[in-house]
Amino acid sequence: MKYLIFFIICLQIFTTLGAASYEDDDYEYVYEDDYEYVDDCLDADDDGYCETDEEYPDEELDEEPEEEPEFGEDTTTVRVDMGNTARITCTVINLGSSVVSWKKDGSFLSLGGSLLADDPRISISMTPSSSELTITLVKGEDAGDYVCQVATTEIMAKTFTIEIKSPPNVKIVNKPESSTYTVKEGSALTILCEGEGDPKPTLSWKRLNSQMPASQNNQNSGSLQFSSISENESGTYQCIAGNGFGQPAVDSIQILVKHKPTIYVQEEYVENKENNKVELLQLICSVQAYPAAETTWTRSDNPLPEERMNIRDEDGRHILEISNPKQSDVGVYTCEAVNSEGKVYAVLNVKENENLPAEEAEVALKQLKEEEEETSSSANRGQFLVGSLTYVLVCLSLRAQL
């Protein structure tokens, strides 16, 4: 307490001495009468502040504006083999704090670095300026468009496409269950073929075991067109699809053309090489017909030797076999073929063969003729001798009389 009283007394003494000193000084404040106050404040809007032409910078204007995000130059189409891994990279320049998301078919796959798709094959990796979508063990369903979306004032979007290379598939359109077209000769026929795959396959046609018909000059197309089909254009045709990935795909169709029979006839002799004896005579009737034709052999001048003949069919050939043929088997034979489309026949004139034996009756008749010829020849010689002798005697008699 005593210290406080001492401090107050000292402060009072100091104040008294200072005031006395100030009064003793000769200092005098002189006002300048020449100063004139000018009110140049313009307050047009009466807001209590003077207006001025000077512009004071705004702190916000001093800051540089943020650049808008924009997409980088990325490959927008990715092609990958079935079962491999597909990667799509979406680069965004000036991404800043904006969020990148991925969508497919209208559904979100990811949002920023968070994966929303319930598929363990899909993953997302982020960098400050890009987002990469990875799909492993790609399937056919993974093909399509993927949208990279950036959330800014206005939504930015860029579309990427995954194309999956897959082996080709091919099918003949509206192919019957039997895989066979049956048409009448002269009718029109068009066959269409379609191929699928990635890349899209090219289509071509070929005919099994034969060249393509001359009417089908454009073999590298998806269709066969017959304006008036003939029997020569029947066969099995293959539509082939290839895209360089895997083996070509093939689909087949058989074309059967209904037509009347066409036939060709010939004979063949089967000889024993040791004695040159003819053991078999074959009359061959080759028949082409659809539907299959009924084929028969007949002989116009004599009945067929049923006890020595055999008939068999082999690869479209109707064969009449005559064992131990004779000269009497030589003659005119007819092959006739009939089906629902018509009837045709062909005539075969079997030529004589000197190696064919004659029948016993023929041999006996021949010997008889030879004997008759010999007898006739002997009688003629006797008559000639008698006539000659008579002529000589008459001549001698006349000479004696003279």
Side-chain angles (χ1 to χ4, degrees):
M1 184 66 179
K2 60 183 180 180
Y3 291 105
L4 179 60
I5 295 173
F6 177 75
F7 177 75
I8 293 173
I9 293 172
C10 290
L11 181 62
Q12 183 66 35
I13 293 172
F14 176 80
T15 304
T16 302
L17 293 174
S21 176
Y22 180 78
E23 290 177 358
D24 294 339
D25 289 340
D26 294 332
Y27 176 79
E28 181 180 0
Y29 181 79
V30 180
Y31 292 95
E32 294 181 1
D33 295 336
D34 295 338
Y35 177 77
E36 180 179 359
Y37 176 74
V38 179
D39 186 5
D40 58 353
C41 176
L42 299 178
D43 187 8
D45 51 4
D46 295 329
D47 59 355
Y49 296 95
C50 298
E51 295 182 0
T52 178
D53 292 336
E54 296 182 9
E55 295 183 359
Y56 297 94
D58 191 347
E59 292 183 358
E60 295 183 358
L61 296 178
D62 290 342
E63 298 180 1
E64 294 184 2
E66 270 189 32
E67 295 185 14
E68 291 292 330
E70 59 178 302
F71 289 112
E73 297 294 330
D74 295 309
T75 301
T76 57
T77 300
V78 176
R79 304 181 70 180
V80 61
D81 294 345
M82 184 80 74
N84 284 1
T85 299
R87 291 183 175 86
I88 308 175
T89 301
C90 180
T91 302
V92 182
I93 303 171
N94 303 319
L95 177 61
S97 60
S98 299
V99 177
V100 179
S101 60
W102 286 98
K103 295 174 67 176
K104 184 177 188 294
D105 299 330
S107 299
F108 280 96
L109 302 178
S110 69
L111 185 62
S114 301
L115 186 64
L116 304 180
D118 186 17
D119 191 334
R121 300 178 303 115
I122 300 178
S123 61
I124 295 292
S125 60
M126 297 289 299
T127 70
S129 61
S130 68
S131 174
E132 183 178 74
L133 174 68
T134 301
I135 305 175
T136 60
L137 301 173
V138 294
K139 306 175 184 178
E141 63 195 43
D142 297 324
D145 293 337
Y146 292 76
V147 179
C148 174
Q149 190 169 284
V150 180
T152 59
T153 306
E154 294 184 1
I155 298 297
M156 296 171 52
K158 185 174 183 178
T159 301
F160 296 79
T161 302
I162 292 181
E163 295 180 354
I164 300 176
K165 294 181 181 179
S166 59
N169 291 319
V170 68
K171 69 175 181 178
I172 293 175
V173 181
N174 298 325
K175 184 173 75 170
E177 293 184 2
S178 62
S179 299
T180 302
Y181 280 115
T182 302
V183 295
K184 290 181 68 70
E185 186 175 28
S187 60
L189 176 64
T190 299
I191 301 176
L192 300 178
C193 180
E194 294 180 348
E196 296 179 348
D198 189 3
K200 186 174 180 62
T202 57
L203 303 177
S204 61
W205 291 91
K206 82 170 187 176
R207 182 164 62 162
L208 290 182
N209 304 320
S210 183
Q211 293 183 346
M212 289 290 289
S215 61
Q216 305 304 311
N217 51 13
N218 186 14
Q219 301 175 20
N220 297 319
S221 68
S223 66
L224 289 177
Q225 296 183 347
F226 302 91
S227 58
S228 178
I229 197 166
S230 68
E231 59 173 298
N232 295 327
E233 294 171 317
S234 61
T236 300
Y237 292 81
Q238 290 184 332
C239 180
I240 305 171
N243 65 352
F245 183 77
Q247 295 297 320
V250 178
D251 196 8
S252 302
I253 187 73
Q254 184 181 28
I255 300 177
L256 297 177
V257 180
K258 297 174 68 174
H259 62 94
K260 66 181 182 181
T262 57
I263 59 178
Y264 173 76
V265 292
Q266 65 182 47
E267 81 269 15
E268 291 183 0
Y269 289 99
V270 180
E271 297 182 355
N272 188 320
K273 295 181 179 180
E274 295 181 358
N275 55 22
N276 293 329
K277 180 181 178 181
V278 179
E279 296 180 344
L280 193 66
L281 171 61
Q282 291 182 330
L283 307 182
I284 303 172
C285 183
S286 300
V287 182
Q288 292 182 348
Y290 186 78
E294 295 183 3
T295 308
T296 56
W297 277 104
T298 58
R299 183 173 178 179
S300 58
D301 52 351
N302 283 310
L304 294 173
E306 295 183 0
E307 70 282 357
R308 293 183 292 113
M309 78 175 200
N310 176 56
I311 296 177
R312 62 186 177 90
D313 292 303
E314 181 183 282
D315 298 330
R317 300 187 305 167
H318 190 71
I319 304 174
L320 171 62
E321 296 179 333
I322 301 176
S323 58
N324 300 319
K326 301 176 174 55
Q327 291 291 348
S328 60
D329 294 325
V330 175
V332 178
Y333 293 80
T334 301
C335 176
E336 183 179 85
V338 181
N339 70 356
S340 60
E341 305 304 307
K343 176 172 66 175
V344 295
Y345 65 90
V347 176
L348 176 62
N349 188 7
V350 178
K351 299 178 181 179
E352 293 184 0
N353 189 316
E354 59 182 11
N355 293 328
L356 293 179
E359 294 186 0
E360 295 180 357
E362 293 178 346
V363 173
L365 181 60
K366 183 177 181 180
Q367 291 178 351
L368 181 59
K369 289 182 178 180
E370 290 178 353
E371 291 177 357
E372 289 179 352
E373 289 177 357
E374 290 179 358
T375 301
S376 175
S377 177
S378 298
N380 290 336
R381 285 197 298 270
Q383 291 177 358
F384 176 75
L385 291 174
V386 171
S388 299
L389 183 58
T390 302
Y391 176 75
V392 171
L393 292 175
V394 171
C395 290
L396 292 174
S397 176
L398 291 174
R399 184 176 180 183
Q401 291 178 2
L402 293 174

